[in-house]
Amino acid sequence: MADEIIENDESQKRQYIDAESVFNELRRVRQQASQVRGGMMWREVSGTKYLIRTSTKGAQKSLGPKSEETHKVYQAFVHRKKAVTERLKTIKTQFDRQRRLNKALRVGRVPNVVANVLNALDDAGLSQHFMVVGTHALCAYESACGVRFVPDAMATRDIDLLFDTRKHLRFFSHMRQIDSSLLGVLRKADKSFERLDDQMETARNSSGFEVDIIRRVAKGDDPHQQILNAPRFSQMVVSTTGDMAMMNTMHPLDFVQVKRMLAARPDRDPLKRNKDEQQARLVTELVAQYMPQYERAGNK
């Protein structure tokens, strides 16, 4: 087992901590910046000046005639937008530096396309609607512990994204707001993504990497019902080129339980069954050694 979980060296661990701090601050400032997108201006109509709030898409909304109150609103907006813009510029510079250090110290090994997909979903405001399941969830667990699993446990050419069917109305409402499709969002990560004609829930890029969207409503012994109800586990992951992304997946012991359920199915492909058993074993050991706070009664 010791040979299957390998600790990162101290320089890699320190760099990950520094990069994570900058990454979290960048996400926080970007959230602030989203609240001051667009602008405000004064417009005179029939001899009266009105405060107009403008959006990035050109929409306009009157906030009322000029008064002491609307003047304060205008001043507060202008000052806040300036402060956030300056802060965003500064933190982006720090982020670029951390990205270069990540690459130089070989901190990450997540495929670039995976980080790009996660960031595209996050930028579009869609990350809350999807949970990474399957092999790539291991990236979140090992990142949280400063270790690496053996390569054969991580081998895969796709990423599985479980769509939260419980929030489908909110999802489609948001898609209308951003005026895009899910394929359009994926193409922000890689413009070569195409939907497969015979697998409408799968998109494949020019290098053969696939994004599989799991949309079905889980029923009976379908493990996806358990995944939807599982607590989320969110962790920054780092790509091979140093890029950073937030990965949302499931509690590690729920991952173990799902993998054991899949391995126990009589119709499970033998090769997949062996990998299910290996991954369940590795994550169980990882929790015991590095994340005892996540252990539950009966899982030790």
Side-chain angles (χ1 to χ4, degrees):
M1 179 63 67
D3 294 333
E4 293 183 296
I5 301 179
I6 305 164
E7 284 204 26
N8 293 338
D9 62 40
E10 291 304 315
S11 63
Q12 291 173 320
K13 291 179 181 178
R14 288 195 299 270
Q15 173 54 32
Y16 179 89
I17 292 172
D18 291 344
E20 186 178 34
S21 177
V22 173
F23 174 74
N24 288 337
E25 178 62 8
L26 177 60
R27 296 184 84 230
R28 187 187 72 82
V29 176
R30 279 178 170 168
Q31 176 61 31
Q32 291 184 334
S34 70
Q35 298 171 2
V36 290
R37 286 176 181 167
M40 284 189 182
M41 64 180 182
W42 297 102
R43 173 176 294 166
E44 186 171 334
V45 180
S46 301
T48 301
K49 285 189 175 181
Y50 291 87
L51 180 59
I52 306 297
R53 180 77 159 90
T54 61
S55 74
T56 55
K57 294 184 178 181
Q60 299 183 1
K61 178 182 178 181
S62 174
L63 301 181
K66 188 171 185 179
S67 64
E68 183 176 345
E69 182 178 349
T70 54
H71 181 72
K72 289 180 179 179
V73 170
Y74 175 77
Q75 290 294 328
F77 177 85
V78 170
H79 291 159
R80 186 183 182 198
K81 188 176 180 72
K82 181 180 179 181
V84 170
T85 300
E86 291 176 352
R87 177 63 178 166
L88 187 59
K89 181 179 179 180
T90 299
I91 197 65
K92 280 184 175 180
T93 299
Q94 292 297 318
F95 179 81
D96 288 339
R97 179 174 182 273
Q98 294 300 324
R99 182 167 51 194
R100 292 193 297 272
L101 288 171
N102 285 342
K103 181 179 180 180
L105 294 173
R106 298 181 180 180
V107 171
R109 64 163 172 174
V110 175
N112 294 330
V113 64
V114 171
N116 292 341
V117 166
L118 295 177
N119 282 327
L121 291 172
D122 200 28
D123 291 344
L126 298 174
S127 58
Q128 64 176 313
H129 296 283
F130 294 95
M131 185 183 295
V132 175
V133 296
T135 296
H136 276 105
L138 296 175
C139 298
Y141 306 143
E142 64 175 16
S143 294
C145 300
V147 302
R148 299 188 184 203
F149 294 119
V150 287
D152 63 306
M154 308 290 290
T156 184
R157 287 291 297 166
D158 65 3
I159 182 171
D160 297 322
L161 298 176
L162 178 63
F163 174 63
D164 192 342
T165 54
R166 299 168 302 180
K167 301 177 181 178
H168 67 282
L169 294 179
R170 188 184 307 172
F171 172 80
F172 290 115
S173 175
H174 185 77
M175 295 303 290
R176 286 193 296 269
Q177 290 178 15
I178 65 175
D179 191 24
S180 182
S181 64
L182 186 54
L183 181 60
V185 172
L186 293 178
R187 284 175 174 168
K188 296 289 185 181
D190 185 326
K191 63 182 180 181
S192 70
F193 270 118
E194 296 285 351
R195 181 178 283 112
L196 302 187
D197 293 336
D198 58 339
Q199 301 177 54
M200 296 302 290
E201 302 301 332
T202 299
R204 181 185 295 159
N205 70 3
S206 57
S207 65
F209 187 88
E210 295 181 350
V211 176
D212 295 320
I213 307 298
I214 304 172
R215 292 178 182 262
R216 64 182 180 276
V217 177
K219 297 179 180 179
D221 63 350
D222 189 331
H224 296 100
Q225 183 65 56
Q226 179 174 338
I227 297 173
L228 283 175
N229 294 328
R232 286 205 171 193
F233 183 94
S234 299
Q235 187 69 35
M236 183 189 83
V237 295
V238 182
S239 77
T240 54
T241 56
D243 282 321
M244 293 160 267
M246 184 62 71
M247 180 179 288
N248 297 318
T249 184
M250 72 191 93
H251 188 291
L253 291 184
D254 287 311
F255 175 90
V256 170
Q257 190 169 351
V258 168
K259 284 295 179 176
R260 286 174 176 168
M261 289 171 59
L262 291 172
R265 287 188 166 186
D267 59 343
R268 188 67 165 167
D269 181 289
L271 294 178
K272 291 183 178 180
R273 179 185 297 116
N274 291 338
K275 193 169 184 179
D276 292 334
E277 292 171 344
Q278 178 191 30
Q279 292 178 345
R281 176 170 48 80
L282 286 174
V283 175
T284 299
E285 184 65 21
L286 184 75
V287 171
Q289 289 191 22
Y290 296 92
M291 297 189 290
Q293 71 274 24
Y294 286 102
E295 284 192 311
R296 299 166 177 163
N299 284 284
K300 296 182 180 182

